[in-house]
Amino acid sequence: MTEYKLMKGNEAMAEAALIAGCRYYYAYPITPQNEVVAYMAKNMPRVNGTFIQAESELAAASMVMGSAASGGRAMTSSSSPGITLKQESISYMAGAELPCVIANIMRGGPGLGGIAGAQGDYFQATRGGGHGDYRTIVLAPDNAQELADFTVEAFDLADEYRTPVIILADGYLGQMSEPVVLPKPTGKTFEKPWAVTGAKDRKQNIIVSLLLHPENVLELHNLHLQEKYERITQKIRRYETYKTEDADWLLAAYGTSARIAQKAVDKLREDGIKAGLFRPTCLWPFPDRELAECASHCTRLLTVEMSHGQMVEDVKLAVNGAIEVDFYGRAGGALPTVKDIIARIKNYEHSEFTHVQAS
Amino acid sequence: MTEYKLMKGNEAMAEAALIAGCRYYYAYPITPQNEVVAYMAKNMPRVNGTFIQAESELAAASMVMGSAASGGRAMTSSSSPGITLKQESISYMAGAELPCVIANIMRGGPGLGGIAGAQGDYFQATRGGGHGDYRTIVLAPDNAQELADFTVEAFDLADEYRTPVIILADGYLGQMSEPVVLPKPTGKTFEKPWAVTGAKDRKQNIIVSLLLHPENVLELHNLHLQEKYERITQKIRRYETYKTEDADWLLAAYGTSARIAQKAVDKLREDGIKAGLFRPTCLWPFPDRELAECASHCTRLLTVEMSHGQMVEDVKLAVNGAIEVDFYGRAGGALPTVKDIIARIKNYEHSEFTHVQAS
Amino acid sequence: MKQGIPEIDKERCKGCGLCIANCPKNILEMANDINSFGAYYTICSDESQCIACGACSLMCPDAAIEIILKREVG
Amino acid sequence: MKQGIPEIDKERCKGCGLCIANCPKNILEMANDINSFGAYYTICSDESQCIACGACSLMCPDAAIEIILKREVG
Amino acid sequence: MNYPTEEIIIAGFGGQGILLAGRLLCVAAMRQGRQVSHIPSYGAEMRGGTANCSVVLSAERIASPVIDMATAVIALNGPSVAKFEPRVRPGGILIWNSSLCKKILPERTDIQSIAIPATELSLTEGTERAANMAAIGALMALKPKLMTENHFSAALDEVVSERNRRYNPVNLRIMQAGYEAALAIIKKN
Amino acid sequence: MNYPTEEIIIAGFGGQGILLAGRLLCVAAMRQGRQVSHIPSYGAEMRGGTANCSVVLSAERIASPVIDMATAVIALNGPSVAKFEPRVRPGGILIWNSSLCKKILPERTDIQSIAIPATELSLTEGTERAANMAAIGALMALKPKLMTENHFSAALDEVVSERNRRYNPVNLRIMQAGYEAALAIIKKN
Amino acid sequence: MSTQNLHMYRRPEALLNVRTHYCAGCGHGIIHKLFAEALGELNIREETIVVAPVGCSVLLYNYINVDGLEAAHGRTPAVATGVKRAQPNRIVVSYQGDGDLLAIGTGETLHAANRGENITVIFVNNANYGMTGGQMAPTTLVDQRTLTSPKGRNPQETGYPIRACELLSTLEAPAYIERVSLHNPGAVKKTKKAIVKALQYQKEGRGYSFVEILSMCPTNWGIEPAAGADWIKTSMVPWFPHKVFRDRPAEAAAAGGKAS
Amino acid sequence: MSTQNLHMYRRPEALLNVRTHYCAGCGHGIIHKLFAEALGELNIREETIVVAPVGCSVLLYNYINVDGLEAAHGRTPAVATGVKRAQPNRIVVSYQGDGDLLAIGTGETLHAANRGENITVIFVNNANYGMTGGQMAPTTLVDQRTLTSPKGRNPQETGYPIRACELLSTLEAPAYIERVSLHNPGAVKKTKKAIVKALQYQKEGRGYSFVEILSMCPTNWGIEPAAGADWIKTSMVPWFPHKVFRDRPAEAAAAGGKAS
Ligand SMILES: Cc1ncc(C[n+]2csc(CCOP(=O)(O)OP(=O)(O)O)c2C)c(N)n1
Ligand SMILES: Cc1ncc(C[n+]2csc(CCOP(=O)(O)OP(=O)(O)O)c2C)c(N)n1
Ligand code: SF4
Ligand code: SF4
Ligand code: SF4
Ligand code: SF4
Ligand code: SF4
Ligand code: SF4
Ligand SMILES: [Mg+2]
Ligand SMILES: [Mg+2]
């Protein structure tokens, strides 16, 4: 009990990164993740780590690339507009297979948008906002505890698969303080014989991105990446279910939306509607088979997002036409409400009953 | 006949932009679209337009934003890594509803990748590589003539819907010379009372991106954008079909992949397999209903891409489980081959016959 | 010596005190009252001493002070 | 005056002519032949005149010229 | 569990310890085994010197830290009364700092408006910075189930930085004064 | 239509007019109503001074401008022979510049290898820059259906910049010399 | 003899009649006022377009009655370039903070200056990132504490504060570069003059003009609002001296004269 | 008396035994050779990590036998910063062209220098974008024709060539800044010395060292390869004078001495 600390999501994540052995953190300030930057500025010296407030997000992500290539555990964080600027390096690091952790504490967009939390960067995170055929693992916590726990895991996953891992959380999660038990280091270690550390007593290590010669090297490299992504897809299946066993109505949501959807499930059940929640805690790879399985005994599915419909595509791809998939979302910093979710479901129930097809 | 000129795709596009009244072109060099930059450097003076080789892609796209906000027809172009850097401004311009044209002459990725043509940026273009809930119209030519024609249309579409329009073509299309008949100006004109031109005899015009106060302005703005996107989705339905009427096997492809797929259709038909091609010429909005309709009498669908599978998601979403969707793609600058397409289809035909399920 | 009147728009004032700190005649002070935005505001304790130097007005970030110059006309 | 031998690796040479242009003794020239990469290459027309100044070697972008210094040892 | 969910907004100007007051409530409730969440207003909203935070205390998992209609609002200055009075749930509580709200007065009649001279109560101990404590004292009087004084004083020790911990006895006294002021009002009504 | 699809690669070093030769073929064929495509090697591949382009001429829509196995290769220097000889289709044609390929000689026996002293033929007219014309002349001898001389000379006027158009008579003569050299070889075999 | 009253200092017309969101004692307010006065004096309000940065002054167009648009963080001069090229007859102003201008926008700043874009840059140097709550800026002083230099800026780790005027003065193209400040009423007057001059130069087509203004951010400096002016004088001015770094007549600019 | 032969100039060991992809007469080749020689002289090959830019020298690590990685275009010094911070005992070199360093990478360049990162930047100024076929670079000379300045660079429109050394010399932190060139054998020798010194300084922990090298790109200059050296001398050197702009002993750097 006394282990609990009241911590901001942002700070819980930052401290967890230090626990995970992150010793290189580079970032540029942006609301609503400034606490991560301030925390690192203050606490990196404690662990003899490096903190640099970079001249830009582009530079911050490039510094991460340099430290990651050197074999260090490196991280950056930002919020939506800043993450867009990091897509360059993410594409490079995915291509060069460099492990690192990038946190996006999402705010409302597009453009400068607003500073309230949102989930409008799902596509960017799961489809790669950068160019080329790459993927990054995308973890999706829904509270401060998970922000801490997932961060520790993220570093291991990054090292295990030599790939960038994104922590995708909305600004509410970053700003909110909740009770947290700080995680322990996992103790896992990873050899990095590929790191550039000086070609002493061995051949050169080279971390390339340009693959021109011979002509098919780039294709082979892409095939190698795809093969790795397939491996990741087989291995990482992360999700939680809530009262789905007997559910007729399935809700699908992640992050803050999932918290709200979970509350809606309870209320709906109070009203006699058997609802359940499927919450992916990893967005890529998306737990598609598991969702399809879960949905197989449901009559309808409602995806709830703080966006105008992004994860809903993965939900549709997962169920592949087996059941109808509806969507309810609010964007630009607004939150879905329990009331709206319930109203929407009851509305459907009603229209089904009267054989009116809702559009 | 004598109107035909042998033109590089890149140059055909550049000249078409001038024909469309583009007078502001800003860019940063990158292979394989350098000819656009050189062409504009040489020819903008001819029409008293502005050409600036910007200090970076970020700056180039920002200059486009400035000229677009001033009411001018503005354009930029680049190739994959450079387009990633333009996502910031694209998100801003989509949010601020500024019309402009952005051409991505795609090359192999991720990272620096290679300079050969590829189609690995489909997700980025259609889902928005930038942050937030926005979309851009994405036109997909498959030859030099269309590069020219679509460019002229792109400027009109941008002005009509006050939104960035992306021309998405692979490097092969940009580099290849083909016979082109230069298009004529459409003659359409668009009033731009919203442009910032000095607050003379009227209230201020302000083009904002930050929407903080009151708290729900950003959400309302997002709803407005979504409503516009819905309108665009209803209006713009662009695709071509080739021998699909009686097809059993439907191929779906765009750009250079579509040219190759079309050849495969002919060869397959020579061998007695009724194949057809569905070619979207606009990728967002994606002609989903039309594809579904087209696929409704087919038994199977193969998507062909110069990537490891991106458009295939839109194809799957379109048919929504009605028929099986297969995928064949090559990435990193390699081209799909007619031979491979045929082999793959025959393989399926065979395995269907022997009731062996291909994985 | 010029003679001026500092006209302070109390609703616009945020109570930063820059005018007070820069008045050479020390005739500005913070009122013991708040405006409708909840801010203390500046008042002039003795207009007759104002030399219309404009220092207060120049320093005011909220353009809350206008200076009126009294002129003898004959 | 030092006495040197310019050792030119003809396969490495790209025929740029920078060595030729910078040899103070004007003893380097382009061969009337190409190497296996299709490039004309430099040859020394009169090694005896080489003063081992290193100019050719310094200028060569392809590190195709090494200079050997002949030394009297007694 | 017989512990109703409380959704509390605390607002005032910068320097009044708004966020600290919110964290105090959270830690005290957390130590009593409650689920808690605390979210500040942040970013550009901070310009102009106003601050507010939202605190949710519950027996169950908290869905959203954002409060639509609050069960209680503490408003430590006039602008906060104006901004947050409309956000009190019908039947809910508004505790307002009558020391600083001379012009902007609460108007609603469907809520319980409690005027506490929080700044004055604080000044009796020689500081104007502990008005937040007086207001929290008042809240404890009005919501006796919220937490015990013991939990509160423990939380105070946990939340207040070491440097300032020596003021905690003073803080507790001011809190007590606020508590009593509120009790007096309730009894009067 | 009785017009076979031709897939032709032209290669050499920078300055030999590789791309121009390709465009010439395209324009001439285009004026005869063919579908054509021309794609150069580009970017970093250009470093080191080599250049090549791929030309497809067809009666039908061209699927891909990229050539896997060519119906004909024109190699104007040694490295190009080495690089592109393997890319001639069995039974296809390799025209190589015997003036410059002293070391790297073609080896395949399943293709038609035609040695043309293209640079020397060009030099007979006082320039070494028109070896490309000699090679194209040879190609016309080997592929008589490709285009007529008329179309070719019209294309020459269209493709060559105004400044250099005065050399076109010379170009045509060199082309003719290449044509005849190739004819002589064919007849000999 | 009677007295006639005359408005000596009055609220400039170009200022909109709204309360700003700035903290009490914020330098942005003073600069807005001076900018608005300059617009009036030169009678160019109706032909001016302002590009607002991302920073505390992001809502600039809400306070000054001119056409305006918002750039992405740091891209302000590039956006201004796009505007100016499309409207060479308008007065285009790029208003920027130190984070915007010297951190994320370093490239855009330098290259707009180097091209000699005929725009005016108003550079508000308040030695920190105001909007995001007070992080270290490129101009943060040695030993200054900020959220991201909690023990004070250590030059061994983060370098010394960058001097924008000195940097831009190494370029040929700029027509006018001056550093001024807000530390007292006299300095404010000079600041106004510099802004007027910069806009005047633009109007005359002399090319790029740049005014750096040392400005107070009492909130993040952690001092009383009234103390901001003093802090500028004692802490900032020694490192960022007032100076006209470039003042080139139009003819010289056209002839491409060397840097002064 | 007999003669004994001695290798006076020999191919440095750190150069890999491969043919480069550079055009004949390209300055990158000379610089690679000098860099490789310096690695040998200082005996630091095994502890050196090079960050290659995007530009003609993108394949640098294929020619020099050191660990290497590839940065995104312009991010080279930021990547080098990340490497150096993680490996303070390694020699980290950021090798960059003028497009990389002064256009897209302006911000990264300036800020790495300003932080005084203990890295060495080798800046190859060839007055154009070599890799992409010869576009205008920030260092392209007035009147120089490129693909994107087809009538010659017009300073009225695109400004004057930027001088990197002069620019960086306005910063406090850098320890060593020098401009050298490849225009003749003597200049090449000086260039070698500068590279050695820069690496030496890094080894000694003195901080940021920067060597600008005027280098030939005959292909895009449209001249004969052998004429490249002359072109540097006659066209580039007048605008980009050779000079030691900064040479600060370690002590002074630690004490934060003023710019020289
Ligand atoms: C791409 C991006 N990165 C970061 C931010 C967050 N941000 C907003 S303003 C700002 C800095 C503001 O500082 P400055 O430019 O000095 O202006 P000031 O507020 O001090 O006037 C930052 C980092 C953003 N909006 N966009
Ligand atoms: C983001 C991005 N923009 C543009 C390019 C294309 N590009 C490659 S190298 C280069 C410029 C090279 O010039 P420079 O840095 O001067 O090096 P050089 O080749 O002259 O040595 C450019 C623009 C790219 N690869 N990535
Ligand atoms: S004008 Fe001068 S004297 Fe008068 S109140 Fe203002 S500062 Fe004081
Ligand atoms: S300077 Fe202006 S805002 Fe500040 S106290 Fe004086 S009148 Fe009020
Ligand atoms: S060493 Fe000197 S003299 Fe000898 S060949 Fe080389 S340049 Fe000529
Ligand atoms: S300098 Fe080197 S590459 Fe150039 S010609 Fe001489 S030996 Fe050959
Ligand atoms: S934070 Fe600083 S710059 Fe921003 S409004 Fe407040 S005082 Fe002004
Ligand atoms: S293009 Fe220029 S810089 Fe690039 S390899 Fe050729 S000569 Fe060297
Ligand atoms: Mg600032
Ligand atoms: Mg260059």
Side-chain angles (χ1 to χ4, degrees), chain F residues 1 7 21 34 37 57 71 79 99-100 110 117-118 154 158 163 182 186:
Chain F
M1 257 177 278
E7 302 193 320
R34 308 280 182 247
S37 80
L57 312 174
T71 56
S99 317
L100 294 186
D110 61 337
E158 194 173 333
R163 230 179 68 222
I186 305 171

Side-chain angles (χ1 to χ4, degrees), chain B residues 24 26 52 55 62-63 65-67 69-70 88 92 196-200 202 204-210, chain G residues 16 45-46 49 58 61 64-70 72 75 78-79 81-83 85-87 90 108 111 115:
Chain B
Y24 308 97
Y26 309 101
I52 297 180
E55 56 270 28
S62 297
M63 290 174 190
M65 176 161 169
S67 293
S70 298
E88 173 186 73
Y92 269 75
V196 289
T197 56
K200 193 177 166 75
R202 60 160 169 75
Q204 289 172 277
N205 277 344
I206 300 174
I207 292 171
V208 288
S209 186
L210 181 73
Chain G
L16 289 160
R45 185 194 68 75
E46 296 180 337
I49 299 164
V58 64
Y61 41 74
I64 303 185
N65 184 13
V66 291
D67 274 13
L69 69 161
E70 224 170 76
R75 316 293 164 226
V79 172
T81 296
V83 173
R85 294 296 181 116
Q87 302 182 78
R90 293 291 176 277
E108 287 77 5
H111 286 273
R115 282 191 306 271

Side-chain angles (χ1 to χ4, degrees), chain A residues 145-206:
Chain A
Q145 184 65 54
E146 284 190 354
L147 263 168
D149 295 343
F150 287 17
T151 299
V152 171
E153 286 179 83
F155 280 95
D156 281 354
L157 289 172
D159 279 342
E160 182 171 349
Y161 295 106
R162 285 190 62 182
T163 200
V165 176
I166 290 178
I167 295 172
L168 194 72
D170 54 79
Y172 294 105
L173 294 175
Q175 286 300 319
M176 187 187 346
S177 296
E178 292 185 290
V180 173
V181 183
L182 284 173
K184 300 236 162 356
T186 64
K188 285 194 201 169
T189 55
F190 296 85
E191 292 296 312
K192 302 188 177 178
W194 45 264
V196 289
T197 55
K200 190 177 169 74
D201 302 328
R202 60 161 169 75
K203 279 198 167 171
Q204 290 171 276
N205 277 343
I206 301 174

Side-chain angles (χ1 to χ4, degrees), chain A residues 131, chain B residues 30 78-85 104-108 121 124:
Chain A
H131 56 283
Chain B
I30 188 168
S78 189
S79 179
S80 311
I83 293 291
T84 293
L85 293 172
N104 181 0
I105 308 299
M106 293 179 278
R107 60 190 240 180
D121 308 346
Q124 189 191 53

Side-chain angles (χ1 to χ4, degrees), chain A residues 53-121:
Chain A
Q53 180 181 319
E55 56 269 30
S56 70
E57 287 86 353
L58 293 161
S62 297
M63 290 174 190
V64 166
M65 176 161 168
S67 293
S70 300
R73 283 199 152 176
M75 177 179 185
T76 187
S77 62
S78 189
S79 179
S80 310
I83 293 290
T84 293
L85 293 171
K86 289 180 179 164
Q87 297 303 319
E88 173 186 73
S89 286
I90 295 175
S91 174
Y92 269 75
M93 289 191 283
E97 299 190 87
L98 292 175
C100 68
V101 174
I102 300 133
N104 181 359
I105 307 299
M106 293 179 279
R107 59 190 239 180
L112 195 50
I115 53 173
Q119 298 180 326
D121 308 346

